[in-house]
Amino acid sequence: MAIIETEATLHEAHRDNHTHRDVNGGWLRPAVFGAMDGLVSNLALMTGVAGGNVSHQTIVIAGLAGLAAGAFSMAAGEYTSVASQRELVQAELEVERRELRKHPQDEERELAALYEGRGVEPELAREVARQLSRDPEQALEIHAREELGIDPGDLPSPTVAAVSSFGAFALGALLPVLPFLLGATALWPALLLAMIGLFGCGAVVAKVTARSWWFSGLRQLALGGAAAGVTYALGSLFGTAVG
């Protein structure tokens, strides 16, 4: 009885610990990319404008314009990209569906050969392929997984990608503008809040990767800081030249 309980406990522990996070990028990739891009691009835009020695009202307008333009651009780009990818996959699935309908025996042999190539005994591979090919939709799903490397029932959503990227970009781009909206007239509060945001974003990303939070945070801080520094220098140079 103790052995059965121990085995059951081990099985439950394995089941609970052997779960995986979503790695298909349905919402995570556009959300993370959108937040990072919004923060870095709008910070760089605002520091570049500030380098031209303009009023803080001009910096705010530039920041808000960058937020709106970037968020809509990100959403449109993500929607088009994911929709095009989805349409391509659906076209390939339709090709496979026609082949299964016109040449079922050939497709069954193809599936058996694939399992043989992975080390399954020929007779067993043929039997597995025969049983799996009974249901046309199941056969389509298996061929899609094995030949195309996709899951027909788990395709990314263009709408989810667009909404995720829009919201994330807007949130990230808002950080450097926020101090000005709250009454700041100097650039340093925006820089400070943006730097905190950059480190925080990098640290959050580390939660879904194998990197340590401090490494990911410092890396993003360094990249964002470099972008802001370069654009400020260019703004100062061009501002002086134009002036």
Side-chain angles (χ1 to χ4, degrees):
M1 184 66 178
I3 295 177
I4 295 176
E5 290 178 353
T6 301
E7 289 179 349
T9 302
L10 290 172
H11 174 71
E12 291 176 0
H14 174 75
R15 179 195 62 199
D16 294 338
N17 294 325
H18 196 70
T19 56
H20 298 283
R21 292 165 292 193
D22 176 21
V23 296
N24 290 328
W27 66 270
L28 181 61
R29 185 189 64 83
V32 171
F33 179 71
M36 294 292 192
D37 191 29
L39 184 49
V40 173
S41 64
N42 219 31
L43 174 63
L45 172 64
M46 292 174 65
T47 53
V49 173
N53 196 26
V54 298
S55 65
H56 79 277
Q57 289 91 343
T58 303
I59 300 174
V60 172
I61 293 173
L64 291 176
L67 185 157
F72 281 109
S73 176
M74 281 288 295
E78 281 293 335
Y79 185 90
T80 302
S81 174
V82 175
S84 299
Q85 178 188 4
R86 188 184 181 95
E87 290 163 2
L88 175 61
V89 169
Q90 289 172 338
E92 291 300 313
L93 288 175
E94 187 57 36
V95 170
E96 192 64 34
R97 184 178 283 108
R98 286 198 303 268
E99 290 299 312
L100 284 167
R101 186 170 57 250
K102 294 179 179 179
H103 309 288
Q105 297 300 322
D106 291 338
E107 291 295 313
E108 183 179 318
R109 283 193 290 270
E110 184 179 296
L111 190 59
L114 189 147
Y115 288 137
E116 286 184 44
R118 293 187 175 181
V120 179
E121 295 180 359
E123 184 177 347
L124 179 58
R126 288 192 294 272
E127 179 60 21
V128 170
R130 185 186 67 80
Q131 293 189 29
L132 292 177
S133 299
R134 290 173 179 171
D135 182 355
E137 287 304 312
Q138 178 178 258
L140 174 64
E141 181 178 336
I142 294 170
H143 278 275
R145 289 176 182 272
E146 298 293 347
E147 296 177 24
L148 303 176
I150 59 174
D151 183 354
D154 192 28
L155 299 180
S157 167
T159 302
V160 170
V163 171
S164 299
S165 59
F166 181 94
F169 185 99
L171 183 62
L174 179 63
L175 281 184
V177 187
L178 192 58
F180 289 102
L181 297 179
L182 295 177
T185 57
L187 184 61
W188 70 263
L191 287 173
L192 179 61
L193 184 59
M195 293 298 124
I196 294 173
L198 285 168
F199 185 86
C201 284
V204 168
V205 170
K207 292 294 184 180
V208 293
T209 65
R211 289 288 187 181
S212 61
W213 64 270
W214 59 266
F215 175 87
S216 184
L218 288 176
R219 178 177 61 183
Q220 194 58 39
L221 179 60
L223 292 172
V230 170
T231 54
Y232 185 86
L234 290 174
S236 299
L237 177 64
F238 293 141
T240 302
V242 173

